[in-house]
Amino acid sequence: MAIALWIKSDDLTKQINDFLNRQRINEYEAFKQNTLSCTKTHNKESCKKLIAMAQSIHDGGGTVEDFWLKNHYAGIASRELKDYTNAIKYFQQACEIGYAASCNLLGSMYSNGKETKKDIKKANKYFQLACDGKDAYGCLNLGTSYYYGESIEQSYSQAFKHFQQAKESKIAESHLYFMLGIMYLEGQGCRLDKDKALEHFGIACDMGNDTACKNYAIIKQ
């Protein structure tokens, strides 16, 4: 005799959600381990697994956050494997739906010209998207382009503005504090302020920037 098992719809929904959450936890644990192995120890097999996980998103399912994250790290994995064409593809896909860190890395690839054809104008476009998305490194890179006028109209005020945006994120990047030190010292895009110049050169010096250390010593004399 068949026995009917009645389950309340709320209970069934909870059971399904619990199952899906366990699946996601397992998936993200594997994702984290492959990411660490690929980026820290440069394990090629882990890099290939990251790329496969990104591909599964295209094959169906996954949240927007999944799409951002997996495509971003698939881009990093492709870069590790020196597959720069696919690195650009994955970063592009993540950038297009708003993952700012991918926009910055895409800009960096076009800026350095080692992994694809150098195109500073295109790099600046992606740095702008990254900065608009609150990526501190995107703001730093865009500020540097404005400072030197690299394929963009030179502007100290725009450079200072974007350096300040990067600083708000408290990134530990000596180049940022060194550039702000220079700008305060010379009054470029801001009021001349030797005390602030000294402060920023001091921070850059503590981060290992030798030129900042020399500038700090000269101002202190």
Side-chain angles (χ1 to χ4, degrees), residues 77-195:
S78 296
R79 218 173 172 186
E80 285 281 344
L81 295 171
K82 302 189 187 308
D83 181 0
Y84 302 126
T85 299
N86 274 318
I88 288 172
K89 180 188 79 172
Y90 285 119
F91 288 144
Q92 179 81 54
Q93 288 170 344
C95 177
E96 284 177 353
I97 58 168
Y99 198 70
S102 289
C103 300
N104 177 59
L105 289 178
L106 195 54
S108 297
M109 291 182 75
Y110 284 113
S111 177
N112 66 40
K114 296 176 183 178
E115 301 158 328
T116 189
K117 185 178 178 180
K118 190 168 186 173
D119 189 333
I120 302 299
K121 188 173 182 179
K122 189 176 283 188
N124 289 336
K125 167 191 167 184
Y126 287 114
F127 290 148
Q128 182 70 69
L129 287 170
C131 188
D132 289 346
K134 311 299 183 186
D135 183 87
Y137 287 96
C139 295
L140 172 57
N141 289 329
L142 185 61
T144 301
S145 289
Y146 272 115
Y147 186 88
Y148 293 109
E150 296 176 329
S151 295
I152 201 167
E153 185 177 351
Q154 198 279 337
S155 171
Y156 287 136
S157 61
Q158 285 294 320
F160 185 79
K161 169 189 170 182
H162 289 98
F163 287 149
Q164 288 285 42
Q165 285 178 292
K167 182 184 172 184
E168 287 172 6
S169 296
K170 296 181 172 57
I171 57 171
E173 181 58 59
S174 68
H175 173 67
L176 169 62
Y177 291 93
F178 175 78
M179 293 304 296
L180 283 169
I182 290 290
M183 298 189 83
Y184 278 119
L185 183 65
E186 302 293 338
Q188 298 171 332
C190 59
R191 294 184 65 177
L192 190 151
D193 190 326
K194 288 192 175 181
D195 288 335

Side-chain angles (χ1 to χ4, degrees), residues 18 38 42-43 46 49 95 107 133 153 157 200-201 211 219-220:
D18 287 346
C38 175
H42 312 290
N43 183 289
S46 294
K49 287 178 182 178
C95 177
E153 185 177 351
S157 61
H200 286 83
F201 284 139
T211 307
I219 297 172
K220 283 289 284 183

Side-chain angles (χ1 to χ4, degrees), residues 12-26:
L12 181 57
T13 300
K14 181 178 183 304
Q15 288 174 19
I16 292 171
N17 287 337
D18 287 346
F19 171 76
L20 292 175
N21 286 334
R22 287 195 298 275
Q23 292 293 101
R24 288 176 66 82
I25 289 169
N26 291 336

